[in-house]
Amino acid sequence: MMGNFFTQLKPDSQQHSHSHSHGHGHSHGGHGDSHGGDKWVVNWDEWDSKAEMRDSAEQIAQHIITQCDLPAEGATMLDFGCGTGLLLRNLMAKGKLKSGFGTDVEKEMLKVFEKKAETEGFSDKLTSVLLKSTDGREVPEQGTFDIVSTVYVLGHIHAHEIQTTLDNLCAAVKSGGWLVVAEFDNIAEQHEGHGEDDKFVSEGGHAHTSISVEDISTAMIRNGLTVEHVTKNTLDLWGSQTTANLLLGKRM
């Protein structure tokens, strides 16, 4: 059963299941609607009601559907840094997932994840897991999932953790499964105006770490995946155009 995998988490991790709690942004900390001194003012409940958030999730979902050979009965999926669960719910609504786990360090985002999964009728198929770390150590090590995704998350993790995080995410991909990584180009330039002092992730502050296509590809290959698809996308986010890279790696 999928629900048993996260019983293997370390004792200091905390699991949240829809059946026991109250619902996708694209980052561990997300981006606030406004800045209040050194603290963001964020309404996570409205996060994925924004057209640009929905459009971004749809763009990633379409790449997964058209480029990945998913199981006919539906895929199992882990979204690392799931935010409010927008990508998972998008793919679930399209009938592409059998079950999904959304992991994040932001408790308030996961509350919205849970609420929206329940509202949309997915509470029995989508589970949220609150993480205590950002390096993927709490993700099941054995090949477990048909899809492991991390969307606009790695750039908010400190540089010294990036390769460990990618190694841990790769390890969770089962034979025939896919790792989906989307990350901004030149994140430091594209995210001027907020930084670690704005806190989150979670309250330890978040980084702006630039990660190249080569960095991600090298990690995939090092962990036995084949890079099958690389594309550069243009997104309309936060009032301006932003470019990002999307890589799909497959474990043969």
Side-chain angles (χ1 to χ4, degrees):
M1 294 284 294
M2 291 292 295
N4 292 331
F5 292 144
F6 278 94
T7 62
Q8 302 171 39
L9 294 177
K10 296 182 183 299
D12 65 348
S13 64
Q14 180 177 356
Q15 178 173 341
H16 286 245
S17 170
H18 294 307
S19 59
H20 296 96
S21 58
H22 324 292
H24 146 9
H26 297 302
S27 69
H28 283 301
H31 296 273
D33 298 313
S34 61
H35 299 282
D38 61 353
K39 178 70 175 179
W40 291 337
V41 178
V42 183
N43 185 341
W44 296 128
D45 200 44
E46 296 179 356
W47 179 256
D48 54 19
S49 66
K50 300 175 184 292
E52 60 266 33
M53 297 296 115
R54 296 194 307 273
D55 290 347
S56 176
E58 175 66 17
Q59 190 177 66
I60 301 293
Q62 287 302 324
H63 279 288
I64 293 173
I65 292 168
T66 59
Q67 300 294 329
C68 302
D69 48 346
L70 302 178
E73 68 275 15
T76 57
M77 180 170 175
L78 169 75
D79 191 16
F80 180 77
C82 66
T84 59
L86 186 55
L87 180 58
L88 284 165
R89 287 185 284 111
N90 182 303
L91 288 166
M92 187 67 75
K94 289 178 167 64
K96 300 302 180 180
L97 299 185
K98 178 168 58 178
S99 60
F101 284 94
T103 70
D104 210 293
V105 297
E106 303 300 345
K107 183 184 298 185
E108 294 306 311
M109 294 188 94
L110 291 180
K111 287 181 181 179
V112 178
F113 176 115
E114 294 162 357
K115 181 171 68 174
K116 294 198 173 188
E118 182 175 0
T119 298
E120 296 179 22
F122 301 137
S123 59
D124 60 333
K125 296 181 178 180
L126 294 179
T127 300
S128 70
V129 179
L130 180 65
L131 301 179
K132 296 297 185 182
S133 62
T134 58
D135 64 3
R137 74 182 71 177
E138 297 159 288
V139 171
E141 293 181 3
Q142 72 277 20
T144 301
F145 300 98
D146 297 305
I147 307 168
V148 175
S149 62
T150 183
V151 177
Y152 310 136
V153 171
L154 296 178
H156 292 97
I157 295 175
H158 293 284
H160 69 275
E161 291 184 320
I162 296 297
Q163 292 305 317
T164 299
T165 303
L166 283 167
D167 289 346
N168 287 328
L169 296 182
C170 286
V173 179
K174 65 165 53 174
S175 178
W178 295 82
L179 177 65
V180 178
V181 180
E183 196 47 69
F184 297 114
D185 270 335
N186 302 316
I187 189 170
E189 295 178 12
Q190 297 196 32
H191 290 66
E192 288 180 346
H194 71 271
E196 290 191 43
D197 289 343
D198 293 320
K199 300 302 182 182
F200 291 145
V201 194
S202 183
E203 299 306 342
H206 70 280
H208 287 155
T209 304
S210 292
I211 307 163
S212 69
V213 169
E214 183 179 4
D215 292 334
I216 300 167
S217 298
T218 299
M220 288 182 174
I221 294 167
R222 181 176 67 244
N223 285 280
L225 278 68
T226 301
V227 180
E228 295 285 330
H229 180 75
V230 180
T231 187
K232 187 181 294 291
N233 299 317
T234 300
L235 311 170
D236 290 315
L237 296 177
W238 309 297
S240 63
Q241 284 200 327
T242 299
T243 57
N245 298 304
L246 173 66
L247 291 86
L248 306 179
K250 183 176 184 179
R251 186 179 298 285
M252 299 299 186

